[in-house]
């Protein structure tokens, strides 16, 4: 088991739609364990494979820290392979989100309250569940990563302008995180 470096928002892998995971994918279980190690090390509640530079439709979640705090139902660690999410309520709500690929940025995002998710678990058993509240929010955030979408994409022009400087700092590698970020490519201007 090992902690993997997390790629930041300007890495193209975060913008590519992730490809499906095959049941016989080599070392899949080890990769999933590494994803959990990486997520817990960074105190994250979710981590999608593209965030560690792997363009596969797979994410891990453990949102108990949030759901317990919010007095909602807790589901423990979960592995979601080749997921599909359908919105089943028109009701939306705002809450502040962050992302391990966007260190130091937290912004309000408007998301549907209730969703249905179909996926395969880590034993490749098909599952279907309905979730709402914070857990549904985390699932939607991670699912977006598999589609090449980041939570900052939902911000209006005004909020986008306010975070522009912070994004530039992430891009030039001058933002530090208390977890391991993927190094910028060789010869990249490191900023200040
Ligand atoms: Ni994220």
């Amino acid at each position: 088991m090992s902690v993997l470096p997390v790629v930041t928002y300007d890495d193209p892998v975060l913008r590519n739609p992730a490809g499906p995971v095959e049941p016989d994918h080599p070392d899949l279980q080890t990769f999933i364990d590494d994803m959990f190690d990486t997520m817990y090390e960074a105190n994250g509640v979710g981590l999608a494979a593209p965030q560690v530079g792997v363009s596969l439709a797979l994410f891990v979640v453990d949102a108990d820290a949030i759901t317990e705090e919010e007095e909602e139902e807790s589901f423990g660690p979960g592995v979601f392979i080749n997921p599909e999410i359908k919105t089943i309520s028109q009701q939306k709500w705002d809450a502040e989100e962050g992302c391990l690929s966007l260190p130091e940025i937290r912004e309000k995002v408007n998301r549907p309250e209730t969703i249905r998710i179909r996926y395969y678990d880590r034993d490749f058993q098909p599952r279907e569940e309905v979730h709402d509240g914070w857990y549904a929010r985390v699932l939607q955030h991670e699912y977006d990563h598999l589609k090449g979408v980041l939570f900052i994409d939902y911000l209006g022009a005004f909020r986008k302008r306010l975070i522009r400087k912070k994004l530039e700092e992430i891009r030039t590698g001058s933002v530090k995180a208390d977890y391991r970020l993927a190094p910028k490519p060789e010869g990249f201007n490191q900023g200040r």
Side-chain angles (χ1 to χ4, degrees):
M1 304 229 275
S2 46
V3 172
L4 308 168
V6 175
V7 303
T8 47
Y9 93 101
D10 54 304
D11 193 308
V13 72
L14 291 176
R15 291 309 193 177
N16 296 335
V21 183
E22 302 297 334
D24 60 353
H25 188 86
D27 297 323
L28 183 63
Q29 298 303 322
T30 307
F31 179 60
I32 290 169
D33 289 338
D34 290 348
M35 295 232 348
F36 275 115
D37 284 352
T38 306
M39 178 184 76
Y40 288 129
E41 173 76 14
N43 289 313
V45 295
L47 183 73
Q51 291 184 274
V52 292
V54 177
S55 195
L56 282 178
L58 155 68
F59 62 79
V60 298
V61 157
D62 185 343
D64 287 10
I66 297 181
T67 50
E68 282 167 17
E69 167 102 16
E70 300 290 331
E71 299 183 350
E72 293 181 0
E73 190 178 350
S74 292
F75 297 93
V79 178
F80 296 81
I81 296 172
N82 299 338
E84 267 180 56
I85 285 184
K86 294 248 178 331
T87 299
I88 58 172
S89 75
Q90 291 313 306
Q91 190 85 13
K92 289 188 166 188
W93 62 299
D94 272 332
E96 229 176 53
E97 297 184 15
C99 179
L100 296 179
S101 295
L102 289 150
E104 293 191 11
I105 295 179
R106 295 195 65 82
E107 290 287 335
K108 267 189 191 152
V109 181
N110 193 246
R111 290 197 192 269
E113 164 79 22
T114 311
I115 54 125
R116 179 190 310 278
I117 185 164
R118 293 199 180 99
Y119 65 101
Y120 293 87
D121 65 17
R122 70 183 297 167
D123 302 316
F124 257 90
Q125 297 305 303
R127 295 186 178 268
E128 178 171 340
E129 294 161 8
V130 172
H131 290 291
D132 60 11
W134 273 100
Y135 196 69
R137 176 174 291 276
V138 172
L139 294 178
Q140 289 173 85
H141 176 118
E142 299 312 326
Y143 181 70
D144 277 352
H145 277 301
L146 308 183
K147 306 289 175 194
V149 173
L150 299 173
F151 80 90
I152 53 171
D153 300 345
Y154 296 105
L155 303 181
F158 178 69
R159 298 302 312 173
K160 272 192 179 137
R161 210 162 61 224
L162 286 183
I163 63 165
R164 206 161 53 188
K165 183 155 173 278
K166 195 63 93 180
L167 288 178
E168 184 61 13
E169 287 173 3
I170 297 172
R171 197 183 66 75
T172 55
S174 62
V175 162
K176 301 279 172 273
D178 56 5
Y179 48 91
R180 205 172 144 211
L181 295 177
K184 297 292 172 183
E186 193 86 22
F188 189 85
N189 171 22
Q190 292 290 310
R192 276 146 291 177

